[in-house]
Every structure is written in C-alpha cells, then in structure tokens.
Amino acid sequence: MKKLITLILALTMLLSLCACGGGSTTQTNTPAGEESQEAPGTEALPEAEQSAPVVAELLLNKANVVEDIAEYTVVTMYSTDDVMPPKPASVFSHYEASSGCTYVVAVLDVKNLAASDVTAQDLLTAGLAIDGQIYDANCIVEEDDGASFGYGNTTAVSALDTARLYYLFDVPANTDMEKLQLNIIAGTDTRTAIIGLSAFESKIKAITLNTEITDSETISLTVNDVYFSTTLYPPITTGYYSYYEAAAGKTYLIVKVTAKNLKGNDMKFDSIAGVKCVYNEKYNYSMFTVLETDGGANLNGYPGQYAIAPLDSGVAYYLAEVPAEVESGKVEISFYIAGEYYNYTIG
C-alpha cells in the first residue's frame, strides 16, 4: 500500500510538471498506407485497463462519490492514545497506540455502491502522509450502535448499506497535527487533502444545558445538569433505595440527561449516548451509566437491562469517578449522540 500511495503521489507531481512544461511537443506521423506497429513482445491493453489512476481533491464538507464502488464522507478526525467505541458496552475492544506514539483517527461514513457485499477494508484504503513518511491504517468498524468495534478485514458491508469506519494511524507522539495529508483510495480513484485536526475540533457542536438535541429518527436528548458530588442519590429518598458514593479522596463528575425514544422500537438505556471526559487536556476518564427507576425512587447501574419504549422518556446519569483535584481544573466532556459529536466544558 505504501508503494501504491507513493506511486500516486509521484503521478500527481508528474502531471503538474507536464502542465507547466508545455513548451515542447513531439508528434509522430504514420505515412499513408502504413500501419502503426506494436513494439516487439508487447500487446495493446483494452481501453479500460489503460486508464490511469484518478487523483482528485478529497471533499471534507460533502460526500465523495466513486461510481459502482463507494460514497463516503469524512465525519471527523482526531488524535488519541486509546481508541474506544463511542458508546462502550460493558465488554468492548479498544486500541492503544504504541509506546511513544499516538493514533490519528479518521472517521468516515461509507456507503457500499457495489452490487454485492464487500468487506469494510476492501471498500476503501486510507493512507496518511506526514513529512514524506507514509503511514498505513488499521480499519475497524463501528458496531452495535456504537457499543463495540468489528474488524475491517472480516466485517462485510452489504450492497447500498452504510457503515461508520475508523482508520487508525499509529504516528509519533510529537507529530504536527496541522500538516496531515489524508489519502483515500477507492479502486483507481484517489482523493487527497491537507488537513489540520483543529479544523474538525471547531466543528464540534457545543452543548447548552436544558436545550433539546433531536434526531427525528432516533432520539431527543436534553442535558439537564453537569456537576461534581461525592454521592448520587435518587430524587425520592423515602423507603429503600440504592445510591452511589465515591471512594475516599475522589469525587464524581455527574452528567444528568433526559432522553425520549423516537425510534419505532425499544431503546436500551446504554445506547442513549456515549459520554467521556478529559481533565486538563491530558487525563482521560470513561463514564458509566446509572438510570432512574421506580418513578425516581431508585437508581440502577445495569442500563443494558432496561429500555425506553417508543415515545417514552427516561432519565440517566453518566458518572466518572475522578480525583478530587479534577473539580478545580478544566474538564471537557465529549458526547456522541445519534452519530454526531458534541462537547461541554467546565472550568
């Protein structure tokens, strides 16, 4: 793959030189009555096989279409030392970067335009060029509504279906993230663009408390409150109830949400959203889900066992148990809701 991407980049440079050096043209004419001859030992290729690779600009704000192969959109790009599913289940796979390295992650929505199933890895190939060095990608597939990952080389995308693919590039930790050349290859079609990760960060939508986020096909979600506390009690504390208490020297970062199910079937509480947080732009914490039950008289920490019926609403809490010092610093909370990314900042 490195050779292929290098060849394409070289071809791009060659075409540029040809365009600039148009001062000399050589033309060979065949005398009347004579036929042109093939060089010994060669055979003319069919026209389809003579087509050169197509190199074009990678569109970042709309779909890139390669006829009969794929239609794809770059959703986002980011860097991380540990790639986790956006809405992790109780058991899930994740990917840690090599020592001294970090991952550059390109997330694409890819529609299979072929007439049959194609493995995710074969739909598209991605490469990243940094200062002349080519990096290949490990392709993984978002599954179970964002709760887990599948392998790109074994997970098939059905004809006309769309999958969310993650391309993981293991690069040195000191890489300049504002000078990345992303190359996406589909058949003989290559799209390329120079990208800075800050451009994607600026497109992430900000959460406003008590304002609905609605996807008409899946969910309407409102973030009601974000706060720190060493305990979490249900709203009604009469009778017997469960509660959560942080360990000594720690506190909970708590995000309270209300979700309405707009799907045509039940929605498990653990598929409402994916929420995680980072302290001082360095320390990452996952968050677990607790839901209100019994009309607010109890709390339950097994969200996969409870569901919201169509057009019903439910209340959930996302908790991260963090050192007490986190409460006095800057915390960025990332949300993954109905396939879109949002954030909320404290401090």
Side-chain angles (χ1 to χ4, degrees):
M1 179 48 58
K2 291 183 179 180
K3 292 181 178 179
L4 176 58
I5 296 175
T6 303
L7 175 61
I8 291 169
L9 294 176
L11 177 61
T12 306
M13 295 176 63
L14 179 61
L15 292 174
S16 300
L17 290 173
C18 291
C20 297
S24 174
T25 303
T26 302
Q27 181 175 348
T28 302
N29 295 321
T30 302
E34 294 186 15
E35 296 181 358
S36 60
Q37 300 293 319
E38 295 288 338
T42 65
E43 181 178 349
L45 293 173
E47 183 176 348
E49 295 182 29
Q50 294 181 23
S51 59
V54 177
V55 180
E57 178 186 3
L58 174 63
L59 303 178
L60 300 179
N61 298 316
K62 57 183 179 180
N64 298 264
V65 180
V66 183
E67 188 175 355
D68 296 329
I69 297 180
E71 176 182 325
Y72 60 92
T73 303
V74 180
V75 177
T76 190
M77 289 183 67
Y78 59 91
S79 63
T80 181
D81 296 337
D82 191 358
V83 182
M84 299 177 62
K87 295 187 283 186
S90 55
V91 178
F92 60 89
S93 58
H94 64 108
Y95 296 81
E96 293 185 357
S98 305
S99 177
C101 294
T102 189
Y103 276 127
V104 171
V105 183
V107 183
L108 279 70
D109 281 341
V110 184
K111 182 177 182 179
N112 177 12
L113 299 184
S116 59
D117 293 0
V118 180
T119 60
Q121 182 172 280
D122 291 334
L123 265 177
L124 298 177
T125 302
L128 195 68
I130 305 172
D131 294 331
Q133 177 69 42
I134 304 297
Y135 296 89
D136 292 332
N138 177 22
C139 175
I140 56 178
V141 186
E142 184 180 301
E143 294 184 332
D144 302 325
D145 195 26
S148 62
F149 287 132
Y151 298 113
N153 61 345
T154 59
T155 304
V157 181
S158 300
L160 300 183
D161 272 0
T162 300
R164 178 155 289 187
L165 308 185
Y166 292 65
Y167 294 92
L168 280 55
F169 302 95
D170 201 26
V171 304
N174 61 355
T175 296
D176 184 352
M177 297 300 176
E178 297 306 306
K179 296 180 180 179
L180 308 175
Q181 180 177 331
L182 178 64
N183 305 302
I184 304 295
I185 303 171
T188 59
D189 181 283
T190 296
R191 310 287 171 97
T192 184
I194 305 298
I195 295 172
L197 297 191
S198 61
F200 289 98
E201 293 172 1
S202 64
K203 294 179 181 179
I204 297 175
K205 303 171 185 176
I207 291 281
T208 301
L209 295 183
N210 298 310
T211 300
E212 288 187 358
I213 298 169
T214 301
D215 177 84
S216 60
E217 299 296 323
T218 58
I219 192 172
S220 176
L221 184 141
T222 302
V223 179
N224 307 114
D225 202 1
V226 178
Y227 59 98
F228 288 96
S229 177
T230 56
T231 55
L232 175 65
Y233 292 98
I236 302 171
T237 55
T238 57
Y240 294 98
Y241 57 86
S242 298
Y243 70 96
Y244 291 80
E245 184 172 10
K250 295 195 173 183
T251 188
Y252 285 127
L253 170 61
I254 302 173
V255 178
K256 179 183 178 181
V257 306
T258 300
K260 182 176 182 179
N261 179 11
L262 302 182
K263 298 169 65 176
N265 48 29
D266 288 354
M267 174 185 289
K268 292 288 185 68
F269 268 92
D270 60 0
S271 67
I272 290 174
V275 187
K276 59 184 179 180
C277 62
V278 58
Y279 167 59
N280 281 354
E281 300 181 349
K282 180 178 180 180
Y283 304 99
N284 293 274
Y285 298 93
S286 58
M287 306 186 78
F288 63 95
T289 310
V290 173
L291 55 129
E292 281 187 12
T293 60
D294 304 327
N298 208 352
L299 299 174
N300 188 289
Y302 299 94
Q305 298 179 5
Y306 291 81
I308 305 174
L311 300 182
D312 275 356
S313 297
V315 176
Y317 300 83
Y318 295 92
L319 280 69
E321 189 176 47
V322 299
E325 67 180 85
V326 173
E327 188 170 356
S328 61
K330 178 183 178 182
V331 180
E332 295 178 323
I333 307 171
S334 301
F335 297 81
Y336 183 76
I337 305 167
E340 298 289 337
Y341 295 88
Y342 301 82
N343 68 2
Y344 184 85
T345 302
I346 303 174

